[in-house]
Amino acid sequence: MNFKSIYKLGSPPLSYRLCIALEPWFLISSILLFVVGMYSGLFVAPPDDEMGDAFRIIYFHVPSAYVSMMAYVCMAIAAIIGLIWRSNVAFSLAKSCAPIGASFTILALVTGMLWGKPMWGTAWVWDARLTSELILLFLYLAYMLLHLSIPDRVKADRSASLLAIVGVVNIPIIHYSVVWWNTLHQASTISKFAKPSIATEMLWPLIIMILAYNLLFAAFLLKRTAAEIAVREKRTRWIQTLILGDKSNV
């Protein structure tokens, strides 16, 4: 794909149709991987020597944590593109990332608390990684609230985008918190691909679940972005023609 093809993605009609066309493929793929990953993680992978079956929460916690950070990075990149090229498509993508990323962040926090209760004896500690992940949730909420609080959409896009860009500094803090500080949180298990600190029979279901979560995020993002583009373009001829065409087919 050359630069001209990438530039064409800034066209709302093309981006809308692309989102609608790709969304079911990502959704179906994610469901298939979820079936394989959950069965393998819950029934095939052996129990951990120390944590027993309680370790299986990682098949939900780790992927949701990864996606929570990835969604924010996607939001920040889309915000930068939107500010530079004043692209409605990029702003639509950034705005769509926020509620999805916030949902995965909540899932990461809840599953982390469920894991922490039997492991640490408490559901919450002000650990560096847990605290920075909580800050990530606040950043998502702040982005959404800021967007809602400004009536003018152009100003809302710019103000929220600046917040998203500034907040991206929290992502490396989340990732490296277990390295920079002494924390109760377990160190990274699969980032050391040469020698991961997790058994192979436990690792491959986790990788499948991470892929499933990523594909699910992509499906949600495509769906929300298409809807956001349609709302922003509701007064344009192409979207009115599309709506009239849908009604005529009913």
Side-chain angles (χ1 to χ4, degrees), residues 193-210:
F193 287 104
K195 191 178 180 181
S197 55
I198 182 173
T200 303
E201 59 269 23
M202 299 176 180
L203 175 62
W204 67 267
L206 180 57
I207 293 175
I208 292 174
M209 288 296 287
I210 291 173

Side-chain angles (χ1 to χ4, degrees), residues 107-239:
L107 181 59
L109 290 169
V110 171
T111 52
M113 292 167 68
L114 291 174
W115 182 87
K117 182 64 175 177
M119 296 301 107
W120 303 333
T122 179
W124 182 266
V125 291
W126 291 101
D127 178 90
R129 175 159 286 184
L130 273 66
T131 303
S132 54
E133 184 75 8
L134 180 62
I135 291 173
L136 180 64
L137 175 61
F138 291 155
L139 286 169
Y140 278 125
L141 296 177
Y143 176 95
M144 290 186 284
L145 290 173
L146 182 60
H147 219 293
L148 287 171
S149 66
I150 302 176
D152 185 272
R153 193 183 68 195
V154 175
K155 292 181 179 178
D157 283 336
R158 292 176 181 175
S159 300
S161 294
L162 290 173
L163 174 62
I165 295 168
V166 172
V168 80
V169 70
N170 188 51
I171 300 301
I173 294 175
I174 296 173
H175 183 72
Y176 291 107
S177 58
V178 293
V179 177
W180 292 342
W181 295 287
N182 292 322
T183 70
L184 290 174
H185 195 283
Q186 183 178 335
S188 298
T189 56
I190 65 172
S191 59
K192 301 170 290 183
F193 287 104
K195 191 178 180 181
S197 55
I198 182 173
T200 303
E201 59 269 23
M202 299 176 180
L203 175 62
W204 67 267
L206 180 57
I207 293 175
I208 292 174
M209 288 296 287
I210 291 173
L211 289 174
Y213 269 72
N214 277 274
L215 290 172
L216 184 63
F217 164 71
F220 287 163
L221 182 60
L222 289 168
K223 189 75 171 181
R224 289 194 65 93
T225 302
E228 182 65 24
I229 291 173
V231 170
R232 289 169 180 256
E233 298 286 313
K234 61 185 177 182
R235 290 187 176 86
T236 60
R237 180 174 296 179
W238 74 267
I239 198 69

